Amino acid sequence: MAKKIKPDKNVKIVMDEVEVNRALRRIAHQIIEANKGVENIVLVGIMQRGVPLAKRLGAIIEQQEKRDVPIGALDVSLYRDDLTSKGEYIEVRKSDIPVEIEGKVVVLVDDVIFAGRTARAALDGLKDYGRAAKVQLAALVDRGHRELPIHPDFTGKVIPTAQKEEVRVEVMEIDGLDRVVIA
């Protein structure tokens, strides 16, 4: 059951729990369609909120295809190109990719794509685990303002934003509720 929270006048809800789940089902279906099944698929969630989203996509795919899809977690902290500006605030976590990715189709899963720098860091981090046959990117929210030529293959929702706005994806597993807000 979703946690009830007091309305916050400083945030605008752009996706509620129903819309988040609908978007995840659509992304899962698109992954299956684009890859003609799930034979060689590995889902890798980008820490932090990409991991529970990858697990949910895996559950949806398993339900639809009656096949398990391996799921991993990737910490991109040390692969970022803005380490010097983040300084001591970087929290390094342990990546966990439990299967060989050599020759597999790896779907990187993230909550929001913005400048493209996190996805670039994930590509750098992923190469430490082998050479995937193909890498695809799934993002629950695409908010634009790319600084790098990186575009998600699968998107739950495109939300035009001002560069100064903050888009927050909140997930049940971490935040106690599912929604996307602009602050």
Side-chain angles (χ1 to χ4, degrees), residues 7-77:
D8 184 346
K9 293 177 184 150
N10 298 323
V11 301
K12 175 184 173 193
I13 299 172
V14 292
M15 291 176 79
D16 62 17
E17 180 180 8
V18 171
E19 292 169 306
V20 167
N21 288 322
R22 186 178 298 130
L24 289 172
R25 285 192 307 274
R26 186 172 51 254
I27 291 169
H29 183 72
Q30 290 172 347
I31 291 169
I32 295 165
E33 287 288 315
N35 293 291
K36 297 175 179 47
V38 293
E39 184 71 31
N40 268 339
I41 302 289
V42 177
L43 299 173
V44 176
I46 299 172
M47 291 183 185
Q48 174 132 350
R49 285 167 179 77
V51 176
L53 295 175
K55 289 178 181 177
R56 289 196 208 173
L57 286 170
I60 295 165
I61 289 170
E62 180 182 347
Q63 183 181 25
Q64 287 183 8
E65 295 292 299
K66 309 296 185 239
R67 289 186 78 124
D68 280 343
V69 175
I71 300 165
L74 182 63
D75 180 22
V76 300
S77 301

Side-chain angles (χ1 to χ4, degrees), residues 123-149:
L123 290 169
D124 285 350
L126 197 59
K127 70 182 179 198
D128 288 348
Y129 292 89
R131 187 173 190 273
K134 183 183 217 179
V135 179
Q136 298 171 330
L137 177 61
L140 182 62
V141 173
D142 182 349
R143 62 168 295 188
H145 303 289
R146 226 57 99 241
E147 295 172 5
L148 299 173

Side-chain angles (χ1 to χ4, degrees), residues 136-182:
Q136 298 171 330
L137 177 61
L140 182 62
V141 173
D142 182 349
R143 62 168 295 188
H145 303 289
R146 226 57 99 241
E147 295 172 5
L148 299 173
I150 293 175
H151 187 77
D153 299 280
F154 316 107
T155 305
K157 186 169 186 169
V158 176
I159 301 173
T161 61
Q163 199 150 8
K164 65 179 176 24
E165 291 178 308
E166 176 191 4
V167 174
R168 265 194 335 254
V169 172
E170 298 172 339
V171 294
M172 185 64 71
E173 298 86 343
I174 296 171
D175 307 295
L177 74 161
D178 287 331
R179 69 179 187 172
V180 178
V181 299
I182 296 178

Side-chain angles (χ1 to χ4, degrees), residues 50-111:
V51 176
L53 295 175
K55 289 178 181 177
R56 289 196 208 173
L57 286 170
I60 295 165
I61 289 170
E62 180 182 347
Q63 183 181 25
Q64 287 183 8
E65 295 292 299
K66 309 296 185 239
R67 289 186 78 124
D68 280 343
V69 175
I71 300 165
L74 182 63
D75 180 22
V76 300
S77 301
L78 295 177
Y79 299 98
R80 296 192 59 92
D81 62 2
D82 57 359
L83 270 178
T84 52
S85 65
K86 295 232 184 237
E88 62 191 59
Y89 300 107
I90 286 286
E91 179 186 340
V92 179
R93 296 178 212 94
K94 185 174 179 3
S95 294
D96 177 27
I97 300 179
V99 296
E100 180 67 43
I101 66 164
E102 193 78 29
K104 304 276 189 199
V105 175
V106 175
V107 180
L108 290 170
V109 180
D110 205 2
D111 56 349

